[in-house]
Amino acid sequence: MQTRTLGTTGPQTSALGLGCMGMSALYGDSDRGESIATLHAALDAGITLLDTGDFYGMGHNELLINEALRTAPAAARERAQISVKFGALRTVEGGFTGYDGRPNAVKNFAAYSLQRLGADHIDIYRIARLDPDVPVEETVGAIAELVAAGHVRHIGLSEVGAETLRRAAAVAPISDLQIEYSLISRGIEEAILPTARELGIGVTAYGVLSRGLISGHFSRDRKLAANDFRGRSPRFQGENLDRNLDLVDALRKIAEQKGISVAQTAIAWVLSRGEDIVPLVGARRRDRLTEALGALEVTLDADDLAAIERAVPPNAAAGDRYPTDQMAHLDSER
């Protein structure tokens, strides 16, 4: 497994990480047995970075990871690095009501996560979205106290803008920024990515296949389950979906010429953006994981990259990456 280092102060991880959200929530029903098998296959392949959130399935995802690690070989379990997002406030019905970044809440969330994970520390800990009512300095300061106490190894951030990155980094070392980055979500390139690099902060890129939209496996006539949040996502709606899948068709031609899949092309493109970027792949099944791992063997030369830029130019995507109410929580979009 190739490795990369998250920023100047963060850990060395596998070059690909596994995003585990879909195994518990938001993409429709999942198969628990296949989820565990996929986690084991990822560990066997050398993936060390497992990304979760305490609100994914209201703790279900952390318990799932706990089970997978308990039943994995000891060596794989010891190599595993767990990145946890916290702060999202949920309702019994599964709704989101905001984010809580108060210092006492930070420590409370961490205590529950450690119990569910069956761990004595969390490798990277980050608030999922900036709490607009709490200065980021206070939230990061609370995580820094958890680091000092040995409960957390590294501090991360998620979906914050350049100014917030600077304020946070002035309080404590930040290992990485987790943020959406893909061929059709390139907003970080203007200010956020340069700022992260200036500050020595790595990037863990989620949504590298845009929730399956640019995986090459999503069709125009696909019917989404009622509990699949993509049914509300603007990029999966009506004319937006048609326009976005036209981009995928253009990308497919390049992939076919190289003898690789569309998904491998999209993941390899993110890998090519810099050694300080670690893509998170959201595979829920072993076959999808195997496909994603194949991207590590793909080399995109200058001609390939130019062809990809022509097929999927910046700002080509139709529709926002989240519904309007969720876009309002993104400090990175302000």
Side-chain angles (χ1 to χ4, degrees):
M1 171 59 66
Q2 302 167 26
T3 61
R4 294 187 171 187
T5 301
L6 293 178
T8 56
T9 64
Q12 184 180 76
T13 76
S14 49
L16 285 181
L18 183 64
C20 302
M21 180 187 76
M23 297 178 179
S24 298
L26 299 177
Y27 287 120
D29 296 335
S30 59
D31 182 312
R32 186 180 188 87
E34 182 61 25
S35 295
I36 296 290
T38 301
L39 281 158
H40 284 166
L43 294 168
D44 289 344
I47 287 179
T48 60
L49 183 61
L50 306 179
D51 183 75
T52 185
D54 62 10
F55 52 94
Y56 291 169
M58 281 76 159
H60 177 279
N61 204 238
E62 290 178 320
L63 292 169
L64 187 75
I65 291 173
N66 180 339
E67 180 180 346
L69 291 177
R70 281 190 291 106
T71 54
R77 182 169 62 248
E78 291 168 5
R79 288 194 302 269
Q81 300 161 307
I82 303 176
S83 167
V84 178
K85 291 181 291 298
F86 69 87
L89 304 176
R90 306 293 302 272
T91 66
V92 174
E93 295 76 21
F96 288 84
T97 60
Y99 296 88
D100 192 344
R102 295 172 300 161
N104 283 341
V106 173
K107 296 172 184 177
N108 176 75
F109 289 130
Y112 278 78
S113 283
L114 287 167
Q115 179 67 26
R116 284 189 291 263
L117 290 165
D120 61 5
H121 72 274
I122 296 166
D123 291 282
I124 310 173
Y125 202 47
R126 71 188 85 239
I127 190 165
R129 299 288 186 269
L130 187 68
D131 182 345
D133 298 322
V134 178
V136 69
E137 291 87 350
E138 294 184 16
T139 302
V140 169
I143 305 175
E145 291 179 12
L146 290 170
V147 172
H151 304 310
V152 169
R153 295 276 171 84
H154 302 280
I155 304 171
L157 291 167
S158 177
E159 286 289 355
V160 300
E163 178 185 351
T164 302
L165 270 181
R166 292 188 185 281
R167 289 170 53 195
V171 174
I174 307 297
S175 69
D176 68 304
L177 169 65
Q178 188 173 122
I179 195 163
E180 186 168 356
Y181 188 40
S182 73
L183 270 169
I184 64 170
S185 296
R186 297 178 60 174
I188 73 169
E189 293 176 346
E190 182 176 349
I192 295 174
L193 183 56
T195 300
R197 285 174 167 163
E198 175 192 336
L199 298 171
I201 297 172
V203 169
T204 42
Y206 76 88
V208 294
L209 297 179
S210 300
R211 301 163 187 84
L213 181 59
I214 61 172
S215 67
H217 302 298
F218 202 93
S219 62
R220 286 173 169 80
D221 58 356
R222 180 171 174 179
K223 303 299 182 185
L224 295 171
N227 57 346
D228 190 325
F229 90 108
R230 290 174 295 185
R232 294 182 57 238
S233 175
R235 290 183 175 175
F236 288 82
Q237 306 299 314
E239 292 184 1
N240 286 351
L241 178 61
D242 287 335
R243 289 171 56 191
N244 291 329
L245 290 181
D246 285 343
L247 298 174
V248 177
D249 289 340
L251 189 62
R252 192 186 311 276
K253 295 176 182 177
I254 298 168
E256 289 174 348
Q257 290 172 357
K258 288 189 67 66
I260 59 177
S261 72
V262 175
Q264 289 168 342
T265 306
I267 296 168
W269 181 87
V270 178
L271 283 164
S272 77
R273 307 310 284 179
E275 290 290 319
D276 54 349
I277 298 174
V278 174
L280 300 173
V281 296
R284 300 194 295 170
R285 300 182 347 217
R286 283 168 286 179
D287 59 337
R288 295 288 192 250
L289 173 66
T290 299
E291 180 183 27
L293 288 167
L296 293 168
E297 307 303 320
V298 175
T299 299
L300 299 176
D301 62 25
D303 290 340
D304 294 328
L305 293 170
I308 291 170
E309 288 280 331
R310 290 192 296 270
V312 188
N315 303 314
D320 288 334
R321 55 194 182 99
Y322 284 103
T324 302
D325 58 334
Q326 295 181 41
M327 289 291 289
H329 291 293
L330 299 178
D331 180 69
S332 55
E333 294 288 339
R334 293 176 187 150

